[in-house]
Amino acid sequence: MNTSLFLKEVLSLLAIVEPLGAIPIFLSLTSGMSERKQKVVARRAAMAGFLILFSALVFGKWLLQIFGISLPSIRVGGGLLFIVMGLQLILSDHHDKISESEKEEAESIRDIAVVPLALPILSGPGAMGAVILLADKGQPLYQIPKVGVIIGIVMFISWVCFRLARPIGSKLGVTGLNILNRIAGLIVLAIGVEFILAGVHQIWSSF
């Protein structure tokens, strides 16, 4: 295994999932809970996020084939999505992955771990597209376990971020989280450009 490539793929998915940026949302949605309940929600959200992304990893390419969508097109479309996400992270003072109405709806749901924490915060369309594209970089028998490990690492880090949300939020503050958002945004922006270039190259080569 190419260690540097593996680490690059871990960091790319981590930048897209961006669990640190989701800490304010987690704290907002669990503000009325005890610390013990927050830990339970954090664990369930990470587990649900893993299952959602792993399902996208295993069945995503098959679903695209059913709808007649080529992977080069997904690369270009996903790249454009990542560019938009990256610009939002860089330019906005406060980045939310859910709207105010979704927050209000989440407060009325008994278990918020799956919706909205796991979906769409930890495993939104950008993350799903990323794992599908990562799986297409080699033989499925090798790539699926490899990308599964990458998803596991990212969801473990997400669990740690949610688990330590209170101390992290108090230490970093709004300014610190905004700085991290901008760094993550730059990484996501670069990933988007790479995906678009690779997709355009594949489409051009097919003519």
Side-chain angles (χ1 to χ4, degrees):
M1 181 186 293
N2 188 325
T3 304
S4 61
L5 178 60
F6 180 80
L7 290 176
K8 178 184 176 183
E9 291 174 344
V10 171
L11 290 174
S12 66
L13 184 59
L14 186 62
I16 293 167
V17 173
E18 201 214 350
L20 279 175
I23 285 177
I25 302 173
F26 176 83
L27 290 174
S28 174
L29 294 176
T30 61
S31 58
M33 298 181 182
S34 65
E35 188 175 352
R36 179 177 173 276
K37 179 62 176 176
Q38 280 185 328
K39 292 176 181 177
V40 171
V41 171
R43 184 178 70 250
R44 289 180 179 175
M47 291 175 62
F50 174 83
L51 291 174
I52 292 168
L53 290 184
F54 193 79
S55 298
L57 169 65
V58 175
F59 301 110
K61 187 175 181 180
W62 174 68
L63 288 173
L64 293 178
Q65 289 174 344
I66 289 178
F67 291 104
I69 302 172
S70 67
L71 280 170
S73 299
I74 286 293
R75 287 187 186 279
V76 175
L80 291 172
L81 175 62
F82 296 155
I83 286 176
V84 172
M85 291 170 59
L87 289 174
Q88 286 178 337
L89 286 167
I90 292 170
L91 300 176
S92 63
D93 291 329
H94 181 71
H95 176 65
D96 272 349
K97 293 185 179 181
I98 57 174
S99 64
E100 289 298 323
S101 60
E102 287 173 320
K103 282 186 178 181
E104 292 174 3
E105 183 181 355
E107 291 173 358
S108 65
I109 300 175
R110 185 175 181 180
D111 190 355
I112 61 172
V114 177
V115 179
L117 289 177
L119 184 68
I121 293 174
L122 294 182
S123 54
M128 291 183 190
V131 298
I132 293 172
L133 294 175
L134 287 175
D136 189 52
K137 289 187 174 182
Q139 293 296 325
L141 290 178
Y142 170 74
Q143 285 298 111
I144 288 179
K146 175 189 170 184
V147 180
V149 171
I150 291 173
I151 295 171
I153 292 172
V154 171
M155 286 302 128
F156 175 77
I157 294 172
S158 300
W159 169 73
V160 171
C161 289
F162 284 172
R163 179 81 160 66
L164 302 175
R166 286 183 179 180
I168 291 175
S170 62
K171 291 286 185 183
L172 292 178
V174 175
T175 302
L177 290 172
N178 280 336
I179 291 172
L180 290 175
N181 279 344
R182 282 164 171 76
I183 294 172
L186 184 61
I187 296 172
V188 172
L189 194 63
I191 293 168
V193 172
E194 283 196 2
F195 278 163
I196 290 174
L197 292 176
V200 170
H201 180 266
Q202 285 182 295
I203 294 172
W204 183 263
S205 299
S206 64
F207 287 109

